[in-house]
Each structure stands twice: as C-alpha cells, then as structure tokens.
Amino acid sequence: MHKPFSAIAVAAGLVASGLATFASSAQAQALDAAGLQVIDAAVNAVAPKMVNWRRDIHAHPELSGQEVRTAKLVADHLKKLGMEVQTNVGGTGVVGTLKGGLPGKVVALRADMDALPVPENTGLPFASKAKANYLGKEVPVMHACGHDAHVAMLMGAAEALSSMKAQLPGTIKFIFQPAEEGAPVEPDANGKVPSFGAKAMVEEGALKDVQAIYGLHVTANLPSGVVGYRSGPLMAGSDNIRIEVEGRGGHGSSPWNAVDPIVAASQVVLGLQTVVSRQLNISQEPAVITIGQIQGGTRYNIIPDSVEMLGTLRTFDEGMRQEALKRITTTAESIAASSGAKAKVRFGPVAYPVTTNPAELTAASLPALKLASGGKAMIIPKVSGSEDFSEFQKVAPGFFYFLGAPPKGKDFKTAPSNHSPLFDIDEDQLPVGARTLAALAVDFLQRK
Ligand code: NI
C-alpha cells in the first residue's frame, strides 16, 4: 500500500513544520497537535512495514529465552536506522539508542519478544507451524499474547522517530526484551533463581541513565483503539508457589503405619484459601491464591512418600505480597506438621512485582496519551494478570497501558483472549500502538 504523491508531499510539509514544533522544546512545552501530526505522518509511512513485520514474526514465534531470530530481525532494523545497537542484553535482548540532535533527557520504550507453548488454531494464512523444546518436550509455539504486534509497533516507532532525529531534544532507547512470559528455569540448590526477562536486562544496565520508560500490551478484550490505563497498581504481582509435602509411604489399608501426604496436602490446599479470606487485609487491595497442580501417588492402595503442589499468588501491593508469602509458608508448614508431615515451601522461578504506574508520571503523560489515542484513553479496572514491565518500574518511573485490538468483526467482549489458541489482533491498531509510544517518548523529552 503506497501513499499517493500528494499525501507524501503533505507529510513532508508536516515534517518541515515539525522543526518549529520540536524546537519549541527549549520552552519545555508538552506535545501539541502539530507535534502529533509530525509523528502521525512518520508512523503512517511505516504502517505497511509494521504489518509485514508482525506477520513474519507471527509465522516464526520463539519461546521465552529462545528469541534468536526475532532479536536479529530487530537488531538489523535498528542498525539500518543508524542506531547504536547492543545485542544479547539479558539473554537475547536488544537495546537501540537514538540520540536526538538536541540535548535533553533519556526515555525508553519497551516491547517483549517471546511467544508461548500454545498450538495455533486461528487459520490465518501466516499462522505458526513452529515447534520448539519446552521443559524437555517438543511443543507447538504461537504468538498467543500479541508480543509479535508489540515488536512490530516498536520497530515502527523506532523508524518513525529516527526520521525526526535532528529535532529530538534528548535520547530514546528502544528496549526489546526476551522471556516476558518467564523462561523455564528452576531454582538452584540454594533456592536461587537465575534472572531472565526484564530483570536480566536491568541487571545488565539496559536502563542505566533512563529517566522514564513506557510500554504497552495489546488486548482483544477492549474496544478497538481504546487505550486502557490506570494510575497506581495496574497489574498484579505474580509469584509461583511450590510446596512439597513429605510424609511416609505405606499400605493404603493401614494408614496408621504411614504419614499420608495426600490428606495433608489436601488440608494445605484448603488452608491456603484462608490466607486471602482470613489473614490478609483485603480492604487495601484484592489478592488471589490458586493451586493449579497436584502430583503424588502411583496406585489406588499405596500411600506415597510425598506430594508436590504448584500454584500462583497474585497481589497488588508489595507489603501485602510479602505478608502473603510469609503466611503461605506458615500455613502450609503448620498444617502439614499437625499430621506429622513436613511442608517445604519455595517461591519462583516467576516472581514479578506489581506493575504500578506512578501517579506523577501518569498525570504528566495523560495529555499526550489522550492526544495520541484520539481521545480514546480510558481508566480500566485492575488486571490480575502480571507483567515483568514491573522490573523496569523498580529502577525508573514507568508507565504501562493496554491497547484494544480485537480482530475486525469480533466483539471485544467475546473475542478469544490473550493466551488462547484462537487469539488474534486487528492489524489496523499497529500504527495506534506505534503512535502512542512515539508520542509518549517525544512528550517526555519535551516536558521539563
Ligand atoms: Ni503478554
């Protein structure tokens, strides 16, 4: 899809007038309508490429920590744009640095690159046929969370912002991170979990000197083009719960000669449900504990030695999170001990803090977000899903938001949600994502 010549001329004119717009940064003005028009023209010029990138990445999804092809695609693109590019940051992460022509602050934009062990069932012409190794098994792989769209949007924003480099008052870092979904890593003998994803990038200095970071997530469950945000806690902190209940095996006919870990584990599951309902002050924030996996036993009449349980904790407040971790441990250990069994409680490898948008950055960024979304920004309820964008927010003020992109013709209320084998997005929203990201970065650089 090519623009008619007249449209290109108009776009060129806007870029020229943008000189004046960006130069006004000396007076530290926030992004205005004229500035947005410059960004818009540059983003629209890249729109067809974003669709191609998204489809290419969608057809070649890579699991957490294995994003080699995607990272190369990204790094090659950023190098072609003339950026200084660092690769293999925190695994397969890529950081591109765009130094503007004018002095100023440093802002970062982030996209996650990984896909999921989900068998794609969308029937799209560019649907994934990829398979990869996940925990020792060959599994089908799919971009079922829309990270393919995030990468395409940020590649688009990078190209658009590069085209106005001379007028940019400051530096923009483009952070392409691996393993947002959590790499399949196990804690070592000391319970220490190797870093991955955002945390690993932070540890390798990806956010050094960065004064603010912005990121987004596409969702099929908001109306098309709607930007959903909130100040304060937006997405839950997430902790893996791992409990091993050790008893003493024996014959099912004579349990008095054994210590039954199945009964003890059952009591632990029910006991854990009292952590949220009886032990946490939920007038502060909600919380969720789910045990999703129980493994133990081999035969109907054998009491096994041990039972292993895996679960998840979701919280919206760091203090409550720490309290819940303590209470889960005490509750499981005490209940198991009451029957002579022993509960060993560990947490991880996933341990994501709460994704919280600082009030000050949210308020300051909102005018630009409203402008760039065409007035379609709205406050949304908290989300009990999690994001390791929170790791970036620990070291720099960070703002995270959702972009509604249900597939064309589908109702957002019933469209297959993220992580579904049927998940898909409306590619018309790719420029909206790129435009909002670019606008937030320029606005941040222009603000005092
Ligand atoms: Ni995701």
Side-chain angles (χ1 to χ4, degrees), residues 33 36 89 92 109 117 130 135 159 188 191 200 215-216 225 234 282 307-308 313 321 353 398 406 426:
L36 180 68
V89 185
T92 60
L109 298 175
L135 299 172
E159 185 159 336
D188 66 18
L216 65 77
L234 171 70
I282 52 134
V307 169
E308 197 188 23
L313 165 71
R321 177 184 174 215
D426 173 10

Side-chain angles (χ1 to χ4, degrees), residues 8-335:
I8 294 173
V10 170
L14 286 170
V15 170
S17 76
L19 276 169
T21 306
F22 286 125
S24 69
S25 66
Q27 285 84 49
Q29 283 178 1
L31 185 73
D32 59 12
L36 180 68
Q37 269 187 306
V38 177
I39 292 169
D40 215 8
V43 166
N44 286 341
V46 202
K49 284 195 201 173
M50 283 194 272
V51 173
N52 291 339
W53 291 325
R54 184 257 163 167
R55 291 183 182 187
D56 178 42
I57 298 164
H58 190 89
H60 300 96
E62 294 169 300
L63 288 178
S64 307
Q66 303 175 14
E67 308 88 338
V68 177
R69 183 186 184 275
T70 312
K72 186 175 183 308
L73 188 82
V74 167
D76 287 350
H77 176 63
L78 299 180
K79 279 178 202 157
K80 231 168 49 194
L81 294 173
M83 285 189 206
E84 181 191 312
V85 179
Q86 290 166 272
T87 54
N88 301 320
V89 185
T92 60
V94 180
V95 181
T97 302
L98 177 66
K99 285 205 176 93
L102 303 167
K105 297 187 278 187
V106 182
V107 66
L109 298 175
R110 172 270 206 172
D112 41 8
M113 303 191 287
D114 53 333
L116 288 159
V118 170
E120 176 150 4
N121 200 15
T122 59
L124 291 168
F126 50 92
S128 163
K129 295 182 192 77
K131 289 197 162 60
N133 188 288
Y134 180 70
L135 299 172
K137 269 190 228 153
E138 192 180 65
V139 293
V141 185
M142 173 190 176
H143 265 295
C145 200
H147 299 187
D148 50 342
H150 301 166
V151 175
M153 286 169 182
L154 194 53
M155 285 170 75
E159 185 159 336
L161 289 163
S162 290
S163 73
M164 54 190 76
K165 177 179 169 164
Q167 294 83 43
L168 286 176
T171 297
I172 304 178
K173 286 198 165 191
F174 298 88
I175 312 266
F176 291 86
Q177 81 152 82
E180 191 284 321
E181 303 285 356
V185 288
E186 295 291 314
D188 66 18
N190 304 316
K192 177 131 176 51
V193 180
S195 298
F196 52 85
K199 196 174 181 209
M201 287 194 89
V202 167
E203 284 169 2
E204 293 191 18
L207 253 54
K208 198 172 161 276
D209 304 327
V210 166
Q211 288 155 287
I213 181 166
Y214 293 91
L216 65 77
H217 207 300
V218 289
T219 170
N221 305 119
L222 273 179
S224 218
V226 161
V227 166
Y229 74 95
R230 70 181 293 118
S231 183
L234 171 70
M235 298 182 76
S238 172
D239 290 271
N240 282 166
I241 306 166
R242 312 158 68 85
I243 302 174
E244 196 186 344
V245 178
E246 277 180 6
R248 194 176 65 247
H251 200 292
S253 65
S254 46
W256 53 88
N257 286 326
V259 174
D260 187 348
I262 288 189
V263 172
S266 306
Q267 290 174 316
V268 168
V269 171
L270 294 177
L272 289 179
Q273 289 310 314
T274 69
V275 171
V276 173
S277 68
R278 306 286 92 179
Q279 302 185 53
L280 293 181
N281 180 358
I282 52 134
S283 68
Q284 283 181 273
E285 292 289 351
V288 174
I289 293 174
T290 292
I291 297 296
Q293 195 179 338
I294 305 181
Q295 267 172 337
T298 49
R299 199 170 189 273
Y300 74 96
N301 62 352
I302 299 174
I303 293 170
D305 276 330
S306 66
V307 169
E308 197 188 23
M309 299 189 283
L310 300 176
T312 186
L313 165 71
R314 302 297 163 114
T315 50
F316 290 93
D317 174 85
E318 186 57 29
M320 284 179 72
R321 177 184 174 215
Q322 293 306 327
E323 183 68 15
L325 295 175
K326 254 193 279 172
R327 300 276 187 158
I328 287 168
T329 305
T330 313
T331 301
E333 285 175 355
S334 309
I335 290 176

